[in-house]
Amino acid sequence: MSKKIIAMIAETIPLVSAVGSYLLIVSKFDSDLIRQVISISFLLAFLGFAFFFIGRKLAAEDRAVRILGLFDWLATLYVIVIYIIAIFGFGL
């Protein structure tokens, strides 16, 4: 596998995690397994900045990797915003 493909796969992990966690949060289903999946996907989405640096290290010159890197930062920002909303929701 080339470095470009590995970088693109690594860069899509936070994006898929952010979308998946959002869909699970707004769904009507609730169980311990779903809560664990949300926790793991939140962690992977939060680590989007780390995947950004990994992707840049592997294939910095590729345009697709750069665009996915921006989405990685948005995944990290998504987790931060969700936690800020939760803090304001509790009235702290």
Side-chain angles (χ1 to χ4, degrees), residues 21-22 25 35-47 74-92:
S21 67
Y22 176 75
I25 288 171
R35 289 180 188 178
Q36 289 175 352
V37 170
I38 290 172
S39 298
I40 292 169
S41 64
F42 253 65
L43 178 64
L44 289 173
F46 179 71
L47 292 174
L74 288 176
T76 302
L77 185 65
Y78 155 75
V79 173
I80 293 170
V81 167
I82 290 292
Y83 276 109
I84 289 173
I85 290 171
I87 288 170
F88 284 133
F90 286 121
L92 298 177

Side-chain angles (χ1 to χ4, degrees), residues 17-69:
S17 296
V19 172
S21 67
Y22 176 75
L23 292 175
L24 287 174
I25 288 171
V26 298
S27 73
K28 63 180 179 176
F29 303 111
D30 188 28
S31 69
D32 290 334
L33 178 64
I34 290 177
R35 289 180 188 178
Q36 289 175 352
V37 170
I38 290 172
S39 298
I40 292 169
S41 64
F42 253 65
L43 178 64
L44 289 173
F46 179 71
L47 292 174
F49 68 92
F51 287 103
F52 167 79
F53 291 121
I54 291 169
R56 286 291 172 122
K57 181 106 174 147
L58 292 174
E61 67 279 349
D62 187 50
R63 184 175 182 176
V65 172
R66 290 187 297 185
I67 292 171
L68 287 172

